[in-house]
Amino acid sequence: MRLRSGVFASSCLLVQALGVALFLRGFFPVPVRSLPRREARADPPAEPAPPGAGMVSNWTKIPPPLFKKVVVVLIDALRDDFVFGSKGKQFMPYTTQVVEKGTSYSFIAEAKPPTVTMPRIKALMTGSIPGFIDVVVNLNSPALLDDNLIWQAKTAGKRIIFYGDDTWVKLFPKHFVEYDGTTSFFVSDFTEVDDNVTRHLDRVLKREDWDLLILHYLGLDHIGHMTGPNSPLVGPKLREMDNIVKKIHISLLSKEEASLPNLLVVCGDHGMSETGSHGGSSEGEVRTPLLFISSAFEKRSDPGYEHFKIAEKSHGNWIKLYLEGNNSEILLNLGKKVLKQYLEALKTLSSSLSKQVAQYDMYSMMVGTVIIMEVLLLLLLSVPKALSKRAEFEVPLSPPLFSLLFYLMCLLLCAVHVIVCTSAESLCYFCSMSWLTAVGVMMLISALMCGILSAIAKMFENSRPPPKNPTVSSSSWSEIDVLILAGTIGHVLSLGASSFIEEEHQTWYFLINTLCLVLCQELCRNYFLLKECDPQNSTNVKQNFDSIGETSEYKNIDIPAASNSKLGKATSSSEFVKGSDKWISVATPWIILICCRLLRSLNQTGVQWAHRPDFGHWLTSSEHKSELSFLAAVSLLMIFFLVQRRCSLVSKIAMALGLLGVYSYRAAIGNVIFPWQHGGRDISKGITEARFVYVFVLGIVFTGTKDLLKSQVISTDSSMKSTGLWEVYSGLVLLAALLFRPHNLPVLLFCLLIQTMMTKYIWRPLKFDAAQITIMHYWFGQAFFYFQGNSNGIATVDVSAGFVGLDSYVEIPAIFLTAFATYAGPLLWAIHLLCYLSSEVSRNPAAVGHGCFCYALMRSIPVAIYVVLVTGLRYHLFIWSVFSPKLLYEGVHVFITAAVCLFFTAMDQNHSYRVQD
């Protein structure tokens, strides 16, 4: 069966995505569940039975309760400095007074990553460290089956009331006698989400028909997501929370009995980073306050605290003896006693906090790794044929699928599957699949292996010695090729070090800067050196390069044969670029370097320097709203001029109105201001303005899709296809402008500017082939991923982008918008690559197939190597804080790249390529 390069690459990437999904499912461990009851593995009972004669207890006598009523106030994203720092004294005076008065025990709790809401609730209620996979299922929380406080309280007959984040309702269904849940993902709601909780307080505090009241406030977290921890909205929200704590505490004190006091617990599930997000392991995200407030603490002390005080007193006595010069055996024994007390305390704390409570599903990981590595090897073996003139090759399906080796491998793998699944002591996801699915995966692995062996055999059959021509061999690798190979290998090797992953943006910044310098060298040589070469020598070079095209069909040639030599490139470029354009072309790499340096100053990312102030923080401060407004307006205006040049008249009008709507949306939510605004203005959610922009986005994309269908079904006009692709690209640019925060609009502007300049002054004059241009697009796409302010930590994901234009939480649109906003840089560069290769009529029609194949290969290499590295480093100290978030980013990037390659394949409709000789 004959396949085009694009179809083959897309198929391989889809198979690799399957392997990545299986590996992710096995890598992110399933927590080891405690089993307090036999039905723990089944659905939780609707109404757990109250304690009675038939109940089994580990206690010979049930201990008496310490408190009559307990109120838990969980303030989402409450950082420790919001209570114990200067903001606490300023905005939470009552809470600060209670802490200083001594009627409470206050702690700074350290949350283990991932610092997102659902895993932290599970940790608070079960006392266990959550699995990292919980960050994936955070959007759709399943019922919690582990032993937990809520179930124990319900079983003990306690009446529980809950108001707040509906994640609790999903985790503990049918456990509350009364509840009112609010969605936690609509982050643009600051007030109603908390008012829906507080409105129940006056009524509930007067009642006596409850034992445990849980309140989960979300407003502070939403403010952090939208405006950051230094927003002027944080102070009023903290003051609101302080008044709620005061109201509850006073009410509990007024109803206390002499025998049983009440308890108020104030805590946060996690903190927030300096950008307002959370999910990572920075100090601001993991440090949260934990307050236990009760009059009982005036009467009795904590035994653990007393134990520490005893150890501290013993330590003080040892220091006193030492200073007195006592060198007797008493000093030695006392020192051993103090050391033993400290070591016992540390051992207990360490075992309870850092005990590994999860296990890896190694079998699923290994199956996924085998699939991923097989696909990579198959892609590498297919490079010569996939990048040939025709960009299509024969895939030998019949021999592998009907060979004895194929059936033997299937039988062997099925036997291994049976042995592993019947002898495994722990749960295995791949073993839990149906036999039909498992056998299908085994057949896929066998077919891939047979295909690899067949490709290797054919390479040896068709191998022939290269032509003995020293001139050709010395010129077959250019500086660009060497840089691409060295950069790819260097980047892949850097993934084995945690520091390089944390600061991966530095790797990509270095690579694109080096690329610009090499391009400058190539331009200078093209314009100022080659034209001075000896004509006879130039003729010989041309003949040598022409001989390559005649003797090897594996040469990647997607431009006319007249341009296949450096002489042809020099001649064609000198004709194309004349006068001042030549100097602009030479200056283009330096202009790009300046743009990249400016973008680096806009957003500090990574870990080491993420806390340092950057230009983005300066712009987003309330004192510089006018400067931000001016910059946003200029950026939107320039974006319009760069995009509209190849759009139809209707799309130009839609783009102009859409960009105006983007500015109106940002003005509505208070990010920017209009020139005629002088006083304060009410801040809204901007739903109408955002939906106004969505209409134009869909209109532009629809117009482009209509042109694409016409070009492929009705007409074969390449100009119509190019116009359609550009309009689809323009619609995505408009969507990115809407989702990007105002200070990030220059990132989008520079992205378009660099693409325009490289197209006109670098790629066309120098006549690079499709493979080289594809890798340049890929590198710049990766760099712009970090220019946006992204990193390999979850905290930098802009969750607020998923709720632009939504008045309630809708899962699918929210996921799509968040993913698009996060990966906008790589996506826009990938679609621009398709637009460029499709618009170059002088190129071989196989250029789009070449680009699709190279793009798939560039994504396949790092993810294949990284899954091997992360398997070996699965017990590394930073496995959950550094390597696991990076693995999630790599996995999502594979899925997105697979979708992009499918789009490439759909646009590559030239079923039979003409070989240009």
Side-chain angles (χ1 to χ4, degrees):
M1 182 176 69
R2 300 192 69 84
L3 285 180
R4 290 171 289 149
S5 297
V7 176
F8 177 75
S10 300
S11 302
C12 286
L13 212 55
L14 288 175
V15 174
Q16 192 172 58
L18 171 65
V20 169
L22 190 57
F23 180 86
L24 291 175
R25 183 58 180 82
F27 179 82
F28 291 110
V30 180
V32 179
R33 302 185 184 280
S34 55
L35 300 175
R37 57 193 190 277
R38 287 180 296 175
E39 66 272 21
R41 293 183 180 273
D43 292 335
E47 291 292 337
M55 295 295 292
V56 179
S57 174
N58 292 329
W59 298 88
T60 56
K61 182 180 179 181
I62 298 178
L66 298 177
F67 303 99
K68 180 182 179 183
K69 292 182 182 294
V70 176
V71 179
V72 178
V73 180
L74 194 156
I75 304 174
D76 211 293
L78 184 66
R79 300 200 325 187
D80 64 317
D81 58 333
F82 287 173
V83 176
F84 303 130
S86 58
K87 289 185 178 179
K89 294 181 179 180
Q90 181 179 1
F91 300 114
M92 303 190 74
Y94 184 81
T95 305
T96 303
Q97 179 186 358
V98 170
V99 170
E100 294 176 351
K101 183 179 179 182
T103 58
S104 68
Y105 287 133
S106 57
F107 305 92
I108 296 179
E110 181 177 343
K112 296 295 180 182
T115 49
V116 292
T117 297
M118 192 269 285
R120 300 314 313 153
I121 294 176
K122 292 174 67 174
L124 286 170
M125 293 297 104
T126 63
S128 63
I129 300 175
F132 205 89
I133 190 62
D134 288 328
V135 73
V136 180
V137 298
N138 186 51
L139 295 174
N140 189 16
S141 311
L144 181 61
L145 300 181
D146 296 10
D147 187 19
N148 59 82
L149 293 177
I150 300 297
W151 184 86
Q152 292 287 356
K154 182 70 174 178
T155 304
K158 303 300 180 182
R159 297 157 296 181
I160 311 172
I161 296 178
F162 171 77
Y163 303 117
D165 186 352
D166 60 0
T167 303
W168 290 78
V169 181
K170 298 175 183 177
L171 288 173
F172 310 105
K174 301 182 180 180
H175 286 64
F176 305 120
V177 296
E178 182 180 323
Y179 65 88
D180 185 9
T182 58
T183 180
S184 60
F185 297 107
F186 188 52
V187 297
S188 60
D189 181 9
F190 305 153
T191 54
E192 293 181 10
V193 71
D194 287 345
D195 292 343
N196 286 335
V197 178
T198 307
R199 65 190 177 94
H200 299 283
L201 270 184
D202 291 335
R203 175 176 53 85
V204 172
L205 291 176
K206 295 177 182 178
R207 291 160 44 184
E208 297 292 336
D209 59 345
W210 58 271
D211 302 292
L212 174 60
L213 173 63
I214 302 175
L215 309 173
H216 190 149
Y217 286 93
L218 292 163
L220 182 63
D221 177 72
H222 291 184
I223 290 174
H225 279 298
M226 294 297 293
T227 59
N230 299 316
S231 167
L233 299 175
V234 170
K237 178 58 67 174
L238 291 177
R239 188 176 290 109
E240 176 187 346
M241 295 296 103
D242 187 61
N243 291 332
I244 291 170
V245 171
K246 179 179 180 181
K247 175 186 290 188
I248 297 173
H249 189 215
I250 293 176
S251 176
L252 292 178
L253 289 176
S254 65
K255 294 188 176 183
E256 279 191 354
E257 300 177 357
S259 57
L260 287 179
N262 298 320
L263 174 65
L264 171 60
V265 180
V266 181
C267 62
D269 53 347
H270 53 75
M272 67 173 69
S273 66
E274 289 302 316
T275 61
S277 297
H278 55 86
S281 57
S282 67
E283 182 175 327
E285 296 170 83
V286 301
R287 291 168 63 94
T288 63
L290 178 59
L291 308 179
F292 297 93
I293 304 173
S294 174
S295 59
F297 300 142
E298 296 177 340
K299 304 173 184 177
R300 62 174 75 96
S301 57
D302 187 355
Y305 180 75
E306 288 298 322
H307 184 269
F308 170 77
K309 296 297 291 184
I310 292 174
E312 188 180 41
K313 184 177 180 180
S314 299
H315 194 185
N317 293 334
W318 180 89
I319 294 175
K320 184 178 180 180
L321 290 174
Y322 178 79
L323 294 176
E324 291 176 353
N326 191 329
N327 297 321
S328 64
E329 188 176 354
I330 298 177
L331 181 67
L332 180 61
N333 292 335
L334 182 58
K336 291 180 178 179
K337 179 181 178 181
V338 173
L339 180 61
K340 184 179 180 180
Q341 291 175 340
Y342 281 132
L343 288 177
E344 287 179 353
L346 290 175
K347 183 178 179 180
T348 303
L349 292 173
S350 177
S351 62
S352 62
L353 292 177
S354 62
K355 181 181 178 182
Q356 179 62 272
V357 294
Q359 57 187 1
Y360 294 100
D361 182 358
M362 289 302 300
Y363 184 45
S364 300
M365 290 170 59
M366 294 307 298
V367 174
T369 303
V370 169
I371 295 175
I372 294 169
M373 297 304 296
E374 284 184 331
V375 170
L376 174 61
L377 188 56
L378 194 59
L379 286 172
L380 291 174
L381 292 172
S382 305
V383 168
K385 280 287 189 180
L387 298 183
S388 64
K389 294 179 181 180
R390 299 184 62 87
E392 63 179 17
F393 46 90
E394 188 71 28
V395 178
L397 288 182
S398 298
L401 293 182
F402 297 100
S403 65
L404 179 62
L405 177 62
F406 172 75
Y407 292 111
L408 288 176
M409 289 190 65
C410 285
L411 289 175
L412 178 62
L413 292 175
C414 289
V416 172
H417 182 71
V418 172
I419 294 173
V420 172
C421 293
T422 54
S423 61
E425 297 180 357
S426 58
L427 295 177
C428 174
Y429 175 73
F430 190 60
C431 291
S432 66
M433 291 182 173
S434 65
W435 270 102
L436 183 61
T437 304
V439 171
V441 174
M442 300 303 173
M443 293 178 66
L444 175 63
I445 295 175
S446 302
L448 289 173
M449 181 57 67
C450 291
I452 291 171
L453 296 177
S454 176
I456 294 175
K458 182 166 288 190
M459 286 182 63
F460 282 106
E461 290 176 4
N462 298 334
S463 62
R464 56 185 177 183
K468 296 181 180 180
N469 193 326
T471 305
V472 174
S473 62
S474 63
S475 305
S476 58
W477 282 80
S478 66
E479 289 86 351
I480 293 290
D481 297 327
V482 173
L483 173 62
I484 287 173
L485 180 62
T488 302
I489 295 176
H491 169 254
V492 169
L493 294 178
S494 71
L495 297 178
S498 60
S499 298
F500 276 97
I501 292 178
E502 290 176 337
E503 309 297 324
E504 187 182 358
H505 59 286
Q506 302 285 7
T507 302
W508 290 111
Y509 296 167
F510 172 79
L511 288 178
I512 62 171
N513 290 345
T514 308
L515 176 63
C516 288
L517 295 177
V518 173
L519 290 174
C520 182
Q521 176 192 0
E522 189 74 16
L523 288 167
C524 292
R525 174 169 34 189
N526 190 57
Y527 292 140
F528 304 114
L529 297 179
L530 286 182
K531 67 180 182 179
E532 299 175 359
C533 291
D534 179 60
Q536 182 65 33
N537 182 55
S538 299
T539 303
N540 293 335
V541 173
K542 180 182 187 302
Q543 292 174 353
N544 290 331
F545 275 82
D546 287 343
S547 67
I548 298 177
E550 295 173 359
T551 57
S552 175
E553 71 166 331
Y554 301 139
K555 177 66 179 175
N556 177 10
I557 301 176
D558 54 22
I559 55 179
S563 307
N564 287 345
S565 66
K566 289 189 176 180
L567 175 67
K569 290 169 66 173
T571 303
S572 60
S573 61
S574 62
E575 293 174 354
F576 184 82
V577 181
K578 298 179 180 179
S580 61
D581 284 353
K582 178 176 67 174
W583 298 104
I584 297 177
S585 183
V586 173
T588 294
W590 300 100
I591 297 175
I592 295 173
L593 285 173
I594 294 173
C595 293
C596 292
R597 186 62 189 90
L598 292 174
L599 290 175
R600 290 183 63 177
S601 303
L602 187 63
N603 291 304
Q604 289 283 1
T605 185
V607 174
Q608 298 296 329
W609 295 279
H611 64 283
R612 299 184 64 180
D614 51 38
F615 191 50
H617 283 89
W618 184 84
L619 285 171
T620 53
S621 62
S622 57
E623 297 83 5
H624 304 108
K625 185 174 290 188
S626 299
E627 292 85 349
L628 177 61
S629 303
F630 176 76
L631 181 63
V634 172
S635 298
L636 292 173
L637 185 63
M638 294 300 297
I639 289 171
F640 172 75
F641 281 113
L642 290 172
V643 171
Q644 57 83 32
R645 51 196 171 90
R646 290 173 57 186
C647 293
S648 62
L649 178 61
V650 175
S651 295
K652 289 181 181 180
I653 297 174
M655 177 62 69
L657 294 175
L659 292 174
L660 180 61
V662 170
Y663 192 91
S664 300
Y665 165 73
R666 290 297 171 183
I669 65 175
N671 294 143
V672 298
I673 57 175
F674 283 105
W676 53 84
Q677 285 183 234
H678 300 290
R681 176 183 171 180
D682 294 336
I683 297 176
S684 69
K685 299 176 184 178
I687 295 176
T688 304
E689 293 83 354
R691 291 178 177 176
F692 177 80
V693 179
Y694 284 138
V695 171
F696 291 112
V697 170
L698 294 176
I700 296 173
V701 173
F702 174 78
T703 303
T705 306
K706 180 188 66 175
D707 291 341
L708 291 176
L709 293 176
K710 281 184 180 181
S711 67
Q712 300 192 27
V713 178
I714 301 176
S715 172
T716 59
D717 185 9
S718 60
S719 63
M720 181 177 294
K721 178 180 178 181
S722 299
T723 302
L725 284 172
W726 187 259
E727 288 184 336
V728 171
Y729 174 74
S730 302
L732 296 180
V733 169
L734 178 58
L735 179 59
L738 175 64
L739 300 181
F740 277 19
R741 299 202 180 196
H743 75 278
N744 261 348
L745 287 175
V747 177
L748 186 58
L749 170 61
F750 282 127
C751 175
L752 298 173
L753 180 62
I754 293 174
Q755 290 172 354
T756 303
M757 297 189 69
M758 294 191 75
T759 299
K760 184 175 181 180
Y761 298 110
I762 295 181
W763 294 324
R764 285 176 181 165
L766 293 182
K767 298 292 184 181
F768 289 115
D769 59 40
Q772 293 170 325
I773 292 176
T774 299
I775 296 174
M776 292 183 203
H777 274 82
Y778 180 83
W779 282 16
F780 272 97
Q782 291 297 104
F784 271 85
F785 174 82
Y786 295 102
F787 284 147
Q788 293 175 228
N790 291 322
S791 70
N792 287 325
I794 300 175
T796 54
V797 176
D798 187 6
V799 181
S800 63
F803 305 93
V804 174
L806 302 180
D807 54 4
S808 62
Y809 173 64
V810 185
E811 186 171 353
I812 299 301
I815 293 175
F816 170 78
L817 293 175
T818 303
F820 179 84
T822 303
Y823 290 92
L827 274 172
L828 291 179
W829 277 91
I831 303 303
H832 182 270
L833 170 65
L834 180 58
C835 294
Y836 174 75
L837 294 179
S838 300
S839 64
E840 293 293 286
V841 294
S842 63
R843 290 184 178 273
N844 190 310
V848 174
H850 291 166
C852 181
F853 182 87
C854 291
Y855 201 80
L857 183 61
M858 291 300 296
R859 184 86 296 271
S860 179
I861 292 174
V863 74
I865 302 301
Y866 190 70
V867 297
V868 176
L869 290 174
V870 82
T871 301
L873 297 171
R874 63 188 182 278
Y875 296 116
H876 194 278
L877 179 63
F878 301 138
I879 185 63
W880 299 121
S881 59
V882 178
F883 292 100
S884 293
K886 172 62 176 175
L887 182 61
L888 284 178
Y889 276 108
E890 289 291 318
V892 175
H893 204 171
V894 168
F895 301 142
I896 292 176
T897 306
V900 170
C901 288
L902 287 175
F903 186 54
F904 268 72
T905 304
M907 295 299 102
D908 187 19
Q909 292 297 320
N910 298 287
H911 295 281
S912 59
Y913 298 133
R914 295 178 289 106
V915 181
Q916 301 182 9
D917 297 325

